[in-house]
Amino acid sequence: MLVAALLAAWSGPAAALMPYVYEAARRDAASVIVIAVQKVTPPRESFGACTVAGTVARVERGAAYKPGQAVSITVPCAGPGASPPLGGTIWQPVDTLAKSRFGRAYLDAAGQVVLSQYEQLTAP
């Protein structure tokens, strides 16, 4: 029972802080795409989900997306001075996210970003 309790404790937000959890999320993502960012819509609050819209510049994994396809995903983001909750979420700064021209998104089968795995890129 003690082992089960310890495993349960590690399955929550604290487990997401471990680098190997993020590595597994990237490794197991159904699709990996590079987006040519055209527009970033911030949340109404100081933190939340930014909508990143653009076109697929490159497909690195999966068959769900094609280059040139329009895409819109949500990425956790936080504005200056925001106090998002502690946990495993990787909060992208709204201002730098809005200025980025490209991003690599690790997506699940439903097209959602897995465990905040979105990277801002300077080139495709």
Side-chain angles (χ1 to χ4, degrees):
M1 281 216 212
L2 178 61
V3 172
L6 290 173
L7 287 174
W10 278 101
S11 65
L17 295 173
M18 301 298 188
Y20 66 85
V21 175
Y22 297 125
E23 290 169 10
R26 290 189 299 270
R27 181 187 64 239
D28 297 338
S31 298
V32 180
I33 59 173
V34 173
I35 299 170
V37 178
Q38 295 169 338
K39 183 178 180 183
V40 174
T41 305
R44 292 180 185 255
E45 304 297 325
S46 61
F47 66 90
C50 281
T51 301
V52 177
T55 58
V56 176
R58 185 173 68 241
V59 176
E60 295 181 348
R61 181 184 316 148
Y65 299 90
K66 303 288 181 221
Q69 177 181 346
V71 66
S72 180
I73 62 170
T74 57
V75 176
C77 61
S83 296
L86 295 176
T89 302
I90 300 170
W91 300 96
Q92 301 281 334
V94 171
D95 54 346
T96 58
L97 187 62
K99 292 177 188 173
S100 68
R101 300 304 347 95
F102 299 95
R104 178 177 291 117
Y106 295 84
L107 307 171
D108 63 17
Q112 301 298 310
V113 174
V114 292
L115 288 181
S116 314
Q117 296 305 295
Y118 180 85
E119 302 172 56
Q120 296 178 42
L121 303 173
T122 56

